[in-house]
Amino acid sequence: MSISRRKFLGWVGAAGLSATIGKSATASTHKHFTGYPGSFAVLHDTTLCVGCRSCETACNKVNDLPSPDKPFADLSVLEKKRRTTTKAFTVVNKYNDPERPKKPVFFKKQCNHCLEPACASVCFVRAFTKTKTGAVIYDSSVCVGCRYCMVACPFEIPTYEYDQVLTPRIRKCTMCYPRVSKGQLPGCVEVCPMEALTFGKRQDLINFAKQRIQKYPDRYVDHIYGEHEMGGTSWLYISGVPFKELGMREDLGVTPAPELTAGALSSVPMIVGLWPVLLTGLYAVSKRKEKIAQTEQENAVALALDKADASPQSIISEATESQTGEES
Amino acid sequence: MTEETIAENKSFFNLFNICAGIVVVIGLYITYLRFTGGLAAVTNLSDNNPWGIWISFDLLCGVALAAGGYVTSAAVYLFGMKKYHSAVRPAVLTGFLGYSLVVLALQYDVGRPWRLPYPLVVQQGTTSVLFEVGLCVAIYLTVLFVEFSPAALEWLGLKKARNLAVKLTILLTIFGVVLSTMHQSSLGSLFLIAPSKLHPLWYSPYIPIYFFVTSIIAGLSMVIFESTLSHRFFAYKMDETHLKEANGITLGFGKAAAYVLAGYFAIKVMGISAGNNWHYLKTGYGTWYLVELIGFVALPALLYAIGVREKNLILIKWTSVLAILGIILNRFNVCLVAFNWQLPSSERYFPHWMEIGISVFIVMIGLILYRFIATRMPILYAHPDYKDAH
Ligand code: SF4
Ligand code: SF4
Ligand code: SF4
């Protein structure tokens, strides 16, 4: 198999590729994380994409997905906006360039493999792992199926096998983790006839994308989508039209997802630490108030009795008795 | 109680039994479909809308409306408001049943319910708000169980165990408040992760505080509402203390609810200005937001206040219904209406009738259990053996 220079930026051989991949680790810290050094990414140059759906075909094959309702050669599906599904980890959508209405723009959608994934940070069984290759992978053997990851993902990527009774799984693009671990390219990258997809070290790809934008300023908008969005992603995009025309949110900001909930989570120890102290205090105060009220009452009773000078002994003991009865 | 009301009660319970029967049969049928056909067979959930009414109603509203337990026991045992003592047991019972039903509902909603203990025993996702919620709910359910147990133990005549459980009251109450503060607010924090999906009017960094404060409103209002119902249907079960204290409870809790609602209104407005979201108020979502804020926060606050001032118990009782509806509306808005607001309407969610069927079924189970327990155990009256015990 020959890997062209454009498909695999950096040109480390297959052996080198697997050597750079260390053991996986989770990205579940609150510290700002800028990606594993040397981790991989894919750059999608939408100006080169022709919407042939070869990548969809390849993805379907390498992931053993069920065959689609309409054959991949049928390009009419491009007329409708699609999202990822349990049967399609990647979809190509067609958009109109507002400035050149005749020339459609194609955009390939799949998991963006965030550097600090929302899906991983919200999963309460840590089913997601940001691996050192850059891929965000999912372990169905622990997944409970709460679907919080789907709520959290800002790119609306994870899908769920709602029709499975006993073994429903989250499904999404794996950045071809199994293939990359073996030194192969992701299926979609390998097959793309236009070389619109490039695999390589994330930093190299960013530099490369910057050069392209500089070299052809008329061709591209000056924005690498994914460089900073949601703290950065391992799938990067350059385009000739603003990204919001391609159905991508431009208002996501640069805050990595875990930081959105970090504040709320860090207040937990405060509650656990402070509340019991305060509440016990409150309890003590209300108990004491009760005590004081009771002593005052007792004194008043005693006083009244003294004054009345009635047979003191028996009445007082009766009074205190009923007091203690009330108290307990 | 006059003969007339007894007869009235009887025919009501007959009607109730018939309805309960129908709901249970349908519920069991849907349960069968759910666990043989998967979620797709009975829900309208989709990849864009992974959470439906089993989360927004059964989980979010369920937990909020079961807040009466911690609110009442904190008031009585920690703040020393002894005059509300007779409200504790019914409130704790509702809390216990409420949380149990939340857990039951989750069995339907999550994909592999038998794995629900996994986050605790297999792998802990401590960065997840949901992990915290799960942990707190699990512990709090245990706390509620122990808090409720004296009633059951008195009924069973197990004195020693009952006295032991009662000794733990203060500790459990403190525990309950701590755990409730955490998970009530965390249910709101769940949505902090999705600023791009939740409408800015509802998305706020204060959402945990909103959820916590509304849980107090829900708890107070539920106690009033519930005691109204109990008086209507179980008055014959009540002892003198309960009957005597009832009006005081309605007044006192109504007053507290008025204050909390007013405070909540204020922090909601502060939230809008902090996020500088005023311009959204002019949109359709803004109108809907105002409906919630004016009609279901400001209005009940005002009505509670008037009711308390004029000692108008009927008004307070009706206001509690309004306030409860307001909490439900709020949870629906956050979880469903304002969530995914940018999606085209064709991709939005509307519940399948079978989802509603399961929610009704679960509420019905709650009512049946409440009736079973309240007519047998010393919930609405003090057990003769322990009369002076409180
Ligand atoms: S795009 Fe979504 S599913 Fe993919 S890593 Fe990011 S948060 Fe997770
Ligand atoms: S659905 Fe599974 S993977 Fe997603 S958050 Fe829940 S447990 Fe984790
Ligand atoms: S990287 Fe692999 S799983 Fe992801 S879209 Fe490409 S072929 Fe599919």
Side-chain angles (χ1 to χ4, degrees):
Chain A
M1 179 188 73
S2 77
I3 298 176
S4 81
R5 159 129 179 94
R6 278 296 309 283
K7 279 185 183 174
F8 187 8
L9 199 80
W11 197 242
V12 262
L17 184 57
S18 14
T20 26
I21 301 158
K23 261 184 53 207
S24 61
T26 40
S28 331
T29 54
H30 289 327
K31 264 180 268 135
H32 188 43
F33 175 81
T34 45
Y36 289 110
S39 74
F40 296 110
V42 176
L43 175 68
H44 180 34
D45 186 338
T46 61
T47 64
L48 299 174
C49 181
V50 291
C52 65
R53 301 183 71 210
S54 304
C55 51
E56 290 188 37
T57 321
C59 181
N60 181 279
K61 205 171 115 217
V62 300
N63 289 299
D64 285 323
L65 297 178
S67 50
D69 303 337
K70 281 187 187 167
F72 284 111
D74 184 349
L75 295 185
S76 69
V77 295
L78 293 170
E79 297 308 321
K80 241 183 107 194
K81 297 285 160 293
R82 294 173 300 152
R83 62 153 290 155
T84 53
T85 67
T86 50
K87 289 183 183 172
F89 296 173
T90 185
V91 289
V92 177
N93 278 326
K94 185 167 107 179
Y95 297 91
N96 292 321
D97 180 347
E99 274 162 34
R100 275 160 296 185
K102 290 235 176 71
K103 197 174 168 287
V105 187
F106 298 96
F107 188 87
K108 174 181 180 298
K109 192 179 167 97
Q110 74 296 304
C111 172
N112 283 330
H113 300 276
C114 308
L115 296 185
E116 294 184 69
C119 57
S121 93
V122 301
C123 178
F124 65 163
V125 278
R126 279 194 283 129
F128 289 99
T129 309
K130 174 80 178 171
T131 66
K132 286 199 171 163
T133 66
V136 175
I137 54 166
Y138 158 80
D139 173 9
S140 67
S141 75
V142 289
C143 173
V144 181
C146 68
R147 310 185 297 285
Y148 191 18
C149 48
M150 301 168 73
V151 168
C153 172
F155 303 106
E156 287 157 350
I157 294 302
T159 69
Y160 198 61
E161 296 177 319
Y162 289 105
D163 51 349
Q164 293 295 320
V165 183
L166 293 173
T167 58
R169 290 170 298 176
I170 294 286
R171 304 294 272 154
K172 73 166 195 69
C173 155
T174 61
M175 205 169 154
C176 281
Y177 181 70
R179 286 172 60 88
V180 170
S181 305
K182 279 189 286 184
Q184 293 169 307
L185 283 174
C188 53
V189 176
E190 186 181 277
V191 81
C192 177
M194 303 307 291
E195 299 187 338
L197 297 166
T198 312
F199 183 82
K201 295 237 172 85
R202 184 169 185 270
Q203 196 49 56
D204 296 347
L205 288 178
I206 290 174
N207 295 339
F208 173 73
K210 278 190 180 142
Q211 284 166 19
R212 295 249 341 150
I213 294 173
Q214 246 163 29
K215 210 160 147 194
Y216 307 104
D218 300 337
R219 188 173 174 145
Y220 297 104
V221 292
D222 188 10
H223 182 178
I224 306 172
Y225 196 97
E227 186 183 5
H228 300 299
E229 272 75 13
M230 296 303 293
T233 60
S234 297
W235 211 287
L236 304 161
Y237 308 85
I238 47 177
S239 154
V241 297
F243 284 98
K244 67 170 187 302
E245 307 291 344
L246 302 176
M248 293 303 273
R249 300 282 297 257
E250 288 190 321
D251 56 353
L252 294 179
V254 298
T255 315
E259 272 171 38
L260 293 167
T261 49
L265 282 171
S266 65
S267 68
V268 167
M270 284 262 276
I271 300 176
V272 177
L274 275 178
W275 253 146
V277 180
L278 290 176
L279 294 173
T280 319
L282 258 174
Y283 169 66
V285 170
S286 74
K287 257 265 126 84
R288 180 154 167 74
K289 265 200 204 142
E290 234 171 70
K291 259 252 162 64
I292 292 175
Q294 193 195 335
T295 344
E296 272 170 3
Q297 202 182 343
E298 267 168 28
N299 289 346
V301 172
L303 205 70
L305 288 172
D306 270 355
K307 269 195 187 146
D309 206 20
S311 74
Q313 235 35 48
S314 64
I315 300 180
I316 287 184
S317 66
E318 219 172 75
T320 30
E321 223 170 36
S322 69
Q323 293 285 340
T324 23
E326 259 177 56
E327 184 199 3
S328 63
Chain B
M1 182 186 279
T2 64
E3 254 163 53
E4 203 178 308
T5 49
I6 291 178
E8 208 180 292
N9 258 356
K10 245 211 178 109
S11 68
F12 172 81
F13 278 124
N14 283 338
L15 187 70
F16 174 83
N17 287 342
I18 294 169
C19 292
I22 296 171
V23 169
V24 168
V25 169
I26 297 176
L28 289 175
Y29 175 63
I30 305 173
T31 306
Y32 167 76
L33 292 180
R34 156 68 184 89
F35 289 102
T36 52
L39 283 163
V42 296
T43 71
N44 278 345
L45 297 174
S46 64
D47 288 332
N48 281 332
N49 303 287
W51 285 355
I53 61 163
W54 290 348
I55 295 296
S56 56
F57 181 73
D58 295 74
L59 174 68
L60 297 182
C61 296
V63 168
L65 297 180
Y70 90 88
V71 172
T72 315
S73 47
V76 172
Y77 295 124
L78 301 183
F79 299 97
M81 302 179 180
K82 291 271 152 74
K83 56 183 171 181
Y84 304 138
H85 192 275
S86 58
V88 171
R89 277 205 178 169
V92 166
L93 173 62
T94 329
F96 175 55
L97 289 178
Y99 277 84
S100 308
L101 297 174
V102 165
V103 174
L104 176 66
L106 288 180
Q107 312 297 321
Y108 288 83
D109 184 77
V110 305
R112 308 197 202 193
W114 51 92
R115 284 187 177 173
L116 273 169
Y118 274 29
L120 298 179
V121 294
V122 176
Q123 247 178 187
Q124 292 78 30
T126 47
T127 53
S128 171
V129 176
L130 195 60
F131 177 76
E132 190 209 325
V133 171
L135 190 65
C136 287
V137 168
I139 305 175
Y140 187 46
L141 185 60
T142 322
V143 168
L144 278 168
F145 174 73
V146 184
E147 282 190 302
F148 158 74
S149 67
L153 295 168
E154 284 171 17
W155 179 56
L156 297 168
L158 298 170
K159 272 202 178 147
K160 275 222 184 91
R162 179 262 176 206
N163 289 341
L164 188 75
V166 166
K167 280 219 181 73
L168 297 171
T169 304
I170 298 298
L171 190 71
L172 290 175
T173 307
I174 293 180
F175 247 61
V177 176
V178 175
L179 291 165
S180 296
T181 315
M182 281 160 62
H183 71 263
Q184 293 284 2
S185 58
S186 293
L187 284 175
S189 312
L190 286 179
F191 295 92
L192 285 176
I193 197 76
S196 59
K197 294 185 185 175
L198 184 56
H199 191 283
L201 280 172
W202 282 272
Y203 185 92
S204 156
Y206 304 124
I207 198 167
I209 301 173
Y210 294 160
F211 266 56
F212 175 62
V213 173
T214 44
S215 83
I216 301 176
I217 299 166
L220 294 167
S221 303
M222 275 300 279
V223 170
I224 299 173
F225 177 60
E226 223 187 284
S227 103
T228 312
L229 292 187
S230 304
H231 272 82
R232 174 75 183 70
F233 300 114
F234 300 120
Y236 65 101
K237 276 273 158 199
M238 297 187 169
D239 63 9
E240 221 177 291
T241 332
H242 273 78
L243 293 170
K244 213 169 61 203
E245 287 183 1
N247 289 348
I249 290 169
T250 304
L251 279 173
F253 278 50
K255 189 168 169 188
Y259 276 114
V260 183
L261 271 162
Y264 176 57
F265 181 81
I267 57 173
K268 281 288 255 195
V269 175
M270 271 159 60
I272 309 177
S273 26
N276 205 3
N277 289 328
W278 296 108
H279 59 285
Y280 284 110
L281 290 180
K282 278 181 272 169
T283 64
Y285 276 97
T287 313
W288 187 236
Y289 184 84
L290 288 175
V291 167
E292 182 191 325
L293 191 64
I294 308 291
F296 292 89
V297 180
L299 185 63
L302 189 73
L303 294 180
Y304 267 136
I306 295 174
V308 171
R309 217 178 133 160
E310 296 174 356
K311 300 224 174 346
N312 184 343
L313 295 174
I314 310 267
L315 180 60
I316 298 179
K317 286 170 181 174
W318 280 107
T319 309
S320 74
V321 177
L322 182 65
I324 291 167
L325 288 177
I327 306 296
I328 297 177
L329 179 69
N330 174 257
R331 298 306 192 259
F332 272 96
N333 281 345
V334 170
C335 189
L336 299 179
V337 180
F339 193 81
N340 275 340
W341 64 290
Q342 277 160 326
L343 287 186
S345 56
S346 61
E347 288 168 32
R348 299 292 302 273
Y349 159 90
F350 193 83
H352 193 280
W353 75 263
M354 289 204 258
E355 289 177 80
I356 302 173
I358 287 296
S359 291
V360 174
F361 171 60
I362 287 176
V363 171
M364 186 53 85
I365 296 179
L367 292 177
I368 295 170
L369 287 176
Y370 189 93
R371 183 167 76 143
F372 179 88
I373 295 173
T375 50
R376 283 169 181 78
M377 300 181 193
I379 301 294
L380 301 170
Y381 60 96
H383 194 284
D385 292 357
Y386 310 93
K387 259 238 149 50
D388 308 321
H390 317 303

